[in-house]
């Protein structure tokens, strides 16, 4: 239990610092912005209560909002992603997962983990970009931003997970 709290706290702090100090300043072609702090929501342990997942998702979104000057947009999008997380895991990975495991390539299969991360990121991005645009004035540009940002975010999360997997292998 203590190990889970420490690990989740480290993920929270590292993800917020990386997002605020590095990734908020990256805008590929003024279209794609990576939101790697979603890795925190992805890595919350399986079996965590739904209310705690939603609260922690809201909290990381709120912290990112405070540092990014985006009034409530990230908090709302992260809350929706947190709300969808547990049903998404149950749908993709099944209900027979042991409680307390952290989602990874190791605990899920590569395909299931990829679909899980992609779905969670896509849910977040759809909500975020609809809130941000508040219009369907230019739907093609909106779809390009959603797709490019989601693709970049998923790629960076999978790279981070690969490094995390390599660290776990070297510890064994």
């Amino acid at each position: 239990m203590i190990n889970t709290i420490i690990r989740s706290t480290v993920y929270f702090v590292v993800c917020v610092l990386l997002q605020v100090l590095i990734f908020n300043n990256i805008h590929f072609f003024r279209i794609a912005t990576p939101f790697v702090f979603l890795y925190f929501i992805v890595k919350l342990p399986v079996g965590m209560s739904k209310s705690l997942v939603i609260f922690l998702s809201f909290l990381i979104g709120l912290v990112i909002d405070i540092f990014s000057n985006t009034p409530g947009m990230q908090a709302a999008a992260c809350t929706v992603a947190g709300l969808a997380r547990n049903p998404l895991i149950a749908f993709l990975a099944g209900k027979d997962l042991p409680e307390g495991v952290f989602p990874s390539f190791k605990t899920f299969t590569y395909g299931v983990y990829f679909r899980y991360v992609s779905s969670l990121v896509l849910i977040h991005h759809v909500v975020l970009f609809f809130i941000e645009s508040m219009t369907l004035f230019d739907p093609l540009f909106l779809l390009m931003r959603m797709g490019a940002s989601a693709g970049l975010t998923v790629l960076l999360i999978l790279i981070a997970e690969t490094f995390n997997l390599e660290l776990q292998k070297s510890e064994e």
Side-chain angles (χ1 to χ4, degrees):
M1 179 68 177
I2 299 290
N3 188 26
T4 301
I5 294 170
I6 292 170
R7 188 173 181 176
S8 295
T9 303
V10 168
Y11 277 129
F12 186 94
V13 171
V14 168
C15 287
V16 167
L17 287 175
L18 285 172
Q19 184 66 43
V20 170
L21 297 175
I22 297 170
F23 293 109
N24 274 355
N25 300 312
I26 297 173
H27 307 286
F28 288 111
F29 307 111
R30 294 182 168 217
I31 293 177
T33 302
F35 297 106
V36 295
F37 70 92
L38 293 173
Y39 190 56
F40 170 76
I41 299 171
V42 166
K43 292 299 281 187
L44 289 173
V46 173
M48 182 178 273
S49 75
K50 191 173 194 170
S51 58
L52 186 56
V53 169
I54 293 169
F55 172 73
L56 291 174
S57 299
F58 169 78
L59 185 63
I60 196 164
L62 182 64
V63 170
I64 296 297
D65 279 334
I66 290 168
F67 286 111
S68 303
N69 198 25
T70 53
M73 294 188 311
Q74 290 288 359
C78 287
T79 302
V80 172
L83 186 64
R85 181 186 176 274
N86 286 352
L88 197 60
I89 289 174
F91 176 72
L92 293 172
K95 298 183 188 258
D96 58 340
L97 287 171
E99 291 201 9
V101 299
F102 289 86
S104 68
F105 289 135
K106 201 174 194 179
T107 56
F108 295 4
T109 62
Y110 286 97
V112 169
Y113 187 76
F114 175 75
R115 285 189 299 274
Y116 163 61
V117 170
S118 299
S119 301
L120 197 69
V121 167
L122 194 60
I123 289 167
H124 170 271
H125 282 52
V126 166
V127 173
L128 177 69
F129 286 114
F130 272 133
I131 290 172
E132 184 183 78
S133 72
M134 287 300 230
T135 181
L136 291 175
F137 180 69
D138 193 359
L140 183 60
F141 184 68
L142 182 63
L143 287 173
M144 278 183 9
R145 287 188 64 207
M146 279 183 204
S149 293
L152 185 58
T153 300
V154 168
L155 178 68
L156 291 172
I157 287 174
L158 294 176
I159 289 170
E161 184 59 32
T162 302
F163 282 122
N164 199 2
L165 184 65
E166 291 302 318
L167 287 173
Q168 288 173 359
K169 284 182 183 176
S170 66
E171 288 176 357
E172 292 175 356

